[in-house]
Amino acid sequence: PDSSKDRSFLRTSPETGSVSKDSIVHINKFSSDLDREVSGNDEIKKVIAENAGETVQTYNIKNTDRSTCAMLAGDIARAHGNKGFKGTVNVGFYGSAGQSFGAFVLPGLKVKLTGEANDYVGKGMHGGEIVVVPDADAGFVAADSSIVGNACLYGATGGDFHANGRAGERFCVRNSGAYAVAEGTGDHCCEYMTGGVVVVLGTVGRNVGAGMTGGIGYFYDKDGGFKERVNPEIVKMQRVTTGAGQDQLKHIIERHFEKTGSEKAEEILNNWDDEIGNFWQIYPPSEGQNPVVKDADGVDQLRVSAAAPDGEMCFLPVGGDLNPDQTARCAD
């Protein structure tokens, strides 16, 4: 048929029992029944309503469960705004998560996935925490295996992310505040990044730091192949030479080990004096005076984590350890 005048062949016929697509209106429902189940949990609703207390809930998840926890984050934000939630909601998942797992997580919401996840984990993350670890019986070396997909932490503005395994391409694209650790990535890591800190404990693909105008990246490079993978148009690279930079990196890796049990992190920490020389630090001109990049006098504290549930930053005195309050807010 002449499709410029006759498009009837695109429509189903009444004989099939169907109707023309322009005679009905499609209504988007929940991303999945799991999202609805999590948001409807009485214990979770109680903590949100009272803006106090803590709850721990667990669920199985499958790869058709998309945007899991986005509705929950919306419930919290609707009641308390971006930073007003004083309770703590811990949600654990077991299985293979669909796209956009942990989207829009915010302070007070801690999410842990035992299994694996698809693309866009932590999309738009504002605070809180996302941890992804393999199943204990997975049967593979976590540091050598992909555990999350592409474009994780796309547009994140805060929060802490730990993946005991490799991430796909465009890890932390447009990240502006999240503190994230993965054990390897694909191409375009830290693309268009404007803030936050990224630590990668394994190999990466090409074009690292393309369009990066803010934030800091630390990359483990035991085999010496990292330099050729950096896009030098904006960012500069150097070894981690400052005391503040070494302290920040070490404490983030320690936190990663505490959260995930990472064998790679443990190996690096056990040989820290030797392994620190295998790290590169990348930074754009805007971070040139940052004490983790350039030695500066009078530096009393540095940031080792993203926003805590009360909206404050988690800081560590240079050369010091986490105090009890910081431990409660930043390391649990």
Side-chain angles (χ1 to χ4, degrees):
D2 182 359
S3 59
S4 65
K5 298 178 180 179
D6 180 11
R7 295 189 176 92
S8 60
F9 65 94
L10 294 174
R11 299 181 178 183
T12 58
S13 63
E15 288 76 16
T16 65
S18 302
V19 296
S20 172
K21 67 178 183 179
D22 57 5
S23 65
I24 60 173
V25 177
H26 178 72
I27 300 175
N28 289 317
K29 297 183 180 179
F30 294 96
S31 56
S32 73
D33 289 336
L34 178 59
D35 225 13
R36 188 189 321 200
E37 182 180 355
V38 173
S39 293
N41 182 283
D42 289 337
E43 292 298 319
I44 292 176
K45 291 167 68 175
K46 181 174 182 289
V47 172
I48 295 174
E50 296 179 356
N51 200 19
E54 183 172 0
T55 184
V56 178
Q57 304 296 324
T58 59
Y59 299 90
N60 292 323
I61 191 170
K62 57 186 183 298
N63 61 7
T64 54
D65 293 320
R66 296 181 293 275
S67 302
T68 303
C69 288
M71 286 182 62
L72 177 57
D75 291 342
I76 295 172
R78 192 175 299 109
H80 306 292
N82 287 338
K83 299 180 179 179
F85 182 47
K86 304 302 182 183
T88 302
V89 175
N90 301 278
V91 191
F93 297 91
Y94 297 86
S96 181
Q99 288 191 346
S100 301
F101 174 80
F104 312 117
V105 165
L106 73 176
L109 178 54
K110 297 182 178 182
V111 181
K112 183 173 183 178
L113 170 64
T114 301
E116 60 186 2
N118 214 302
D119 300 340
Y120 293 103
V121 176
K123 177 177 66 179
M125 184 180 187
H126 172 65
E129 178 181 282
I130 298 175
V131 176
V132 185
V133 298
D135 187 272
D137 300 323
F140 55 75
V141 178
D144 297 334
S145 306
S146 295
I147 196 168
V148 293
N150 299 322
C152 295
L153 298 171
Y154 176 85
T157 59
D160 291 293
F161 175 87
H162 297 272
N164 186 14
R166 296 180 61 87
E169 296 186 356
R170 291 192 158 86
F171 183 65
C172 285
V173 56
R174 296 193 181 277
N175 173 35
S176 64
Y179 279 47
V181 185
E183 305 198 355
T185 78
D187 296 343
H188 316 298
C189 184
C190 300
E191 187 179 35
Y192 306 128
M193 187 166 140
T194 61
V197 176
V198 171
V199 177
V200 180
L201 303 181
T203 59
V204 295
R206 64 183 179 86
N207 205 34
V208 175
M212 179 180 174
T213 57
I216 303 291
Y218 297 96
F219 294 84
Y220 184 69
D221 181 33
K222 193 169 185 176
D223 299 329
F226 177 71
K227 189 173 182 179
E228 63 185 19
R229 300 182 182 280
V230 176
N231 185 323
E233 184 176 354
I234 296 177
V235 299
K236 298 179 180 180
M237 61 182 292
Q238 65 180 20
R239 294 296 185 180
V240 188
T241 58
T242 68
Q246 292 183 12
D247 285 345
Q248 182 184 62
L249 174 60
K250 184 177 183 181
H251 281 278
I252 290 174
I253 296 175
E254 287 175 339
R255 179 175 169 82
H256 182 66
F257 173 68
E258 293 169 1
K259 292 292 181 181
T260 68
S262 165
E263 294 180 357
K264 186 68 170 289
E266 183 178 27
E267 179 183 339
I268 291 172
L269 292 169
N270 286 341
N271 300 280
W272 181 252
D273 291 342
D274 295 327
E275 294 286 20
I276 183 61
N278 292 321
F279 279 93
W280 289 101
Q281 181 186 68
I282 68 166
Y283 63 95
S286 64
E287 302 285 0
Q289 300 302 310
N290 190 320
V292 304
V293 172
K294 180 180 179 181
D295 277 317
D297 296 330
V299 179
D300 296 323
Q301 58 186 12
L302 63 132
R303 191 174 171 187
V304 297
S305 177
D310 57 5
E312 297 178 358
M313 304 303 178
C314 299
F315 290 99
L316 176 74
V318 173
D321 296 321
L322 291 170
N323 63 41
D325 179 60
Q326 288 170 320
T327 299
R329 294 189 297 116
C330 306
D332 286 347

